[in-house]
Amino acid sequence: MIRDMPEPREAVRKMAPYSPPSAGREGKLRLDFNENTVGCSPAVVEFLREHLTASQLSIYPEYVDAIHELAAFFAVDEDEFTLTNGTDEAIQVLVNTFVDDGDEVIVLKPSYAMYRFYAEVAGASVRDVDYDSVTLAFPLEELLGAITERTRAVLIANPNNPTGTAIDLEGVRRILVAAANAAVLIDEAYFEFSEITALPWIREYSNLFVSRTFSKVYGMAAMRCGCLFSGARNIAWLKKAQSPYSVNTLAALAARAAIRDRAYVENYVDEVLAARALAYDGLHRLGIKTYPSEANFILFQLGERAIPIRDALRDRGVLVRDRTYEIPGCVRVTIGTRAQIGRFLEELQKLWK
């Protein structure tokens, strides 16, 4: 006898599915997911080889050494952050800790899809604040006007994905003051390329949360490792809502090695910034409209040809990301090395006639 299946929560039924195009990327020039395009530091791989043992794989992760070294690296106390399974878990834990069913959460549009995703899973009422449709500048005044007494969380990427645009620290301060009763997340996944950070303010503003990730500049997207920072009292609450072993042993080991090789990260950032300038120059020479970016990617306008050109580039082994469903006519390209951007521009030029 077939019984009726249990029904999901209403919030889940109403959600749109999120399915990133992550298949079939191996062997192609990956300029679509904002990853490090050359890989992590060789020191990370070597550290894993030297320190990973069969015994370690048989026990649950221990984070004492990682917490100690990361706290020193980020200049915070050990009780002022928690390790997370990438930025995604940071968002999830923050929402689960501070947002109740029906509470209001403010997100920017367009922005990282997981902000809306986890807010909707929690049953929150999501309020969108649109970026300027012409300049894609950060809509500070509009966001401040959207904050109400019902607002329980404000989720911001700085710089923003997919626009690449950023908000300055004075703007962040105004948001923290206006949303005094809400948890304000400043997601700094692309901090190394912008050098704008609110992290030193976590003791000054009790509603501030800052996230960082090892998925971008550190080249460890497969490890799923990040950090969520806030005042010690907030972190204690977050840990109550967080799985105690969500970050695996390999990720914790890799993070320790990654922060030790500062030269690798600095050299990669320098290369990306040089390649970003090259990309802007090349796109402008082709007469293609671009938007200002403080991150390791550029959003550009191809109009009605956006998807056909994206597909043609893929056929030539170059992957870029379609964003037309959020910003009509727009495609996003990850900035890698100068050689990689040179190849991208060469292939694009053949198509853009």
Side-chain angles (χ1 to χ4, degrees):
M1 179 179 178
I2 299 176
R3 299 181 182 273
D4 290 339
M5 294 295 293
E7 289 294 320
R9 295 169 52 235
E10 182 180 1
V12 175
R13 290 200 303 270
K14 290 181 176 179
M15 290 175 61
Y18 177 67
S19 302
S22 55
R25 301 174 68 232
E26 187 69 29
K28 295 182 172 63
L29 178 53
R30 299 176 288 101
L31 305 182
D32 52 344
F33 271 65
N34 302 340
E35 302 154 329
N36 179 314
T37 60
V38 299
C40 68
S41 162
V44 171
V45 178
E46 187 59 32
F47 190 80
L48 289 174
R49 288 194 179 114
E50 291 176 358
H51 291 81
L52 187 63
T53 66
S55 175
Q56 281 181 303
L57 292 180
S58 69
I59 62 175
Y60 288 101
E62 296 180 1
Y63 305 126
V64 173
D65 290 335
I67 292 292
H68 179 71
E69 293 185 36
L70 289 168
F73 177 78
F74 289 111
V76 298
D77 289 341
E78 293 184 11
D79 59 359
E80 290 178 324
F81 78 105
T82 184
L83 281 174
T84 61
N85 192 275
T87 298
D88 289 2
E89 192 198 14
I91 302 164
Q92 181 184 37
V93 170
L94 183 146
V95 169
N96 287 350
T97 302
F98 294 100
V99 178
D100 264 329
D101 187 51
D103 282 347
E104 185 176 271
V105 173
I106 295 177
V107 300
L108 290 130
K109 185 179 181 181
S111 194
Y112 184 44
M114 291 295 100
Y115 303 141
R116 171 178 289 277
F117 178 90
Y118 286 117
E120 289 183 342
V121 168
S125 172
V126 180
R127 184 167 185 177
D128 292 314
V129 175
D130 292 328
Y131 274 80
D132 184 283
S133 60
V134 177
T135 66
L136 297 181
F138 189 91
L140 177 59
E141 298 303 327
E142 291 81 357
L143 189 151
L144 292 172
I147 296 169
T148 71
E149 293 181 355
R150 294 184 57 242
T151 305
R152 290 293 171 264
V154 182
L155 309 176
I156 298 169
N158 194 37
N160 183 51
N161 174 26
T163 65
T165 46
I167 178 175
D168 61 25
L169 287 178
E170 180 55 32
V172 172
R173 189 186 298 276
R174 291 180 64 190
I175 294 168
L176 290 167
V177 172
N181 296 321
V184 178
L185 173 67
I186 306 298
D187 176 358
E188 297 182 351
Y190 304 100
F191 154 73
E192 289 82 4
F193 305 103
S194 73
E195 296 188 333
I196 301 171
T197 180
L199 183 55
W201 292 355
I202 58 172
R203 296 175 189 171
E204 182 177 352
Y205 294 96
S206 60
N207 59 333
L208 172 62
F209 299 78
V210 175
S211 60
R212 295 280 184 88
T213 182
F214 287 89
S215 295
K216 304 304 180 184
V217 71
Y218 288 99
M220 290 164 38
M223 286 292 188
R224 314 306 303 128
C225 187
C227 297
L228 181 57
F229 304 88
S230 192
R233 180 175 180 272
N234 288 338
I235 296 300
W237 288 117
L238 291 169
K239 287 185 175 180
K240 291 184 70 174
Q242 183 183 21
S243 167
Y245 303 117
S246 61
V247 177
N248 68 63
T249 293
L250 275 72
L253 284 171
R256 293 169 58 194
I259 60 173
R260 294 177 184 180
D261 195 352
R262 300 194 185 198
Y264 180 85
V265 171
E266 291 170 359
N267 290 337
Y268 184 72
V269 169
D270 288 345
E271 179 65 18
V272 167
L273 296 181
R276 191 174 70 189
L278 178 67
Y280 272 123
D281 182 64
L283 290 166
H284 291 165
R285 286 176 183 274
L286 293 174
I288 294 173
K289 179 181 178 180
T290 62
Y291 297 90
S293 175
E294 299 285 340
N296 67 329
F297 55 85
I298 293 175
L299 191 72
F300 58 99
Q301 178 64 245
L302 295 180
E304 294 181 354
R305 300 177 65 189
I307 292 179
I309 287 180
R310 177 208 61 179
D311 292 345
L313 285 171
R314 181 180 59 203
D315 292 341
R316 294 165 180 259
V318 179
L319 301 179
V320 295
R321 190 76 179 268
D322 165 41
R323 308 306 296 195
T324 58
Y325 58 93
E326 294 180 306
I327 313 170
C330 279
V331 172
R332 188 192 69 199
V333 60
T334 300
I335 305 301
T337 65
R338 281 169 285 189
Q340 291 169 336
I341 290 302
R343 180 184 169 195
F344 157 71
L345 291 171
E346 180 182 355
E347 298 295 349
L348 179 61
Q349 184 173 12
K350 297 173 185 176
L351 301 167
W352 187 252
K353 298 178 180 178

